[in-house]
Amino acid sequence: MHSHRGFTLIELMIVVAIIGILAAVALPAYNDYVRRGKIANATSVLSMMRVQMEQYFQDNRTYVGACAAGTVAPSPASNQDFSFACSNLGSSTYTVTATGSSSPMSGFVYTIDQNNSRATTSTGGWGKTSTTCWIQKSDGSC
């Protein structure tokens, strides 16, 4: 008598199907997790920039001239996921914006101003906005 060893084709197809189902559930969750980490990085740069802008204001009594190299509030360096820009620089106003620049982050735009008003003007495919906070999750929570 010969005993057969190994797996049948049906058993292998069941394993492949199970792996496919697990990947279909895990991959979107992982991508969302990575996206939230990149958002946290951008918002931390915005928070740091706010502190530097206030320090610049304390030294100069104006925001005019901030976001320039050689000052205590240089324009934040862009990274692979977000580009940063200063705008609305006035005697008592400023806005710093983080705009998503990479594929998973394109369409995401976060801002902060002199009143510490945090806004989310766009969240790409999530379709959420907020004038009072930085949206961190796809469900629109801050």
Side-chain angles (χ1 to χ4, degrees):
M1 294 208 87
H2 291 90
S3 73
H4 296 283
R5 294 180 148 180
F7 300 104
T8 67
L9 184 58
I10 300 272
E11 291 170 331
L12 288 175
M13 293 304 291
I14 290 171
V15 169
V16 168
I18 290 171
I19 290 172
I21 291 169
L22 289 175
V25 171
L27 193 58
Y30 173 74
N31 287 338
D32 191 48
Y33 176 75
V34 169
R35 187 175 289 124
R36 286 186 290 143
K38 292 177 179 186
I39 290 169
N41 185 16
T43 57
S44 69
V45 170
L46 288 176
S47 294
M48 178 191 67
M49 189 61 190
R50 179 182 180 275
V51 170
Q52 291 175 340
M53 293 296 283
E54 295 306 319
Q55 183 177 0
Y56 183 89
F57 185 82
Q58 290 295 317
D59 294 343
N60 300 291
R61 296 293 183 214
T62 184
Y63 294 112
V64 175
C67 292
T71 66
V72 295
S75 186
S78 298
N79 59 36
Q80 64 186 13
D81 300 311
F82 281 90
S83 59
F84 300 92
C86 298
S87 61
N88 196 27
L89 295 173
S91 61
S92 62
T93 61
Y94 72 87
T95 302
V96 181
T97 304
T99 305
S101 57
S102 68
S103 174
M105 300 314 299
S106 61
F108 285 78
V109 180
Y110 297 95
T111 63
I112 192 165
D113 65 16
Q114 72 283 349
N115 296 320
N116 198 26
S117 297
R118 301 168 183 202
T120 305
T121 56
S122 175
T123 55
W126 291 351
K128 313 272 191 230
T129 61
S130 173
T131 58
T132 59
C133 69
W134 291 325
I135 294 176
Q136 302 279 329
K137 298 181 181 180
S138 61
D139 64 359
S141 60
C142 299

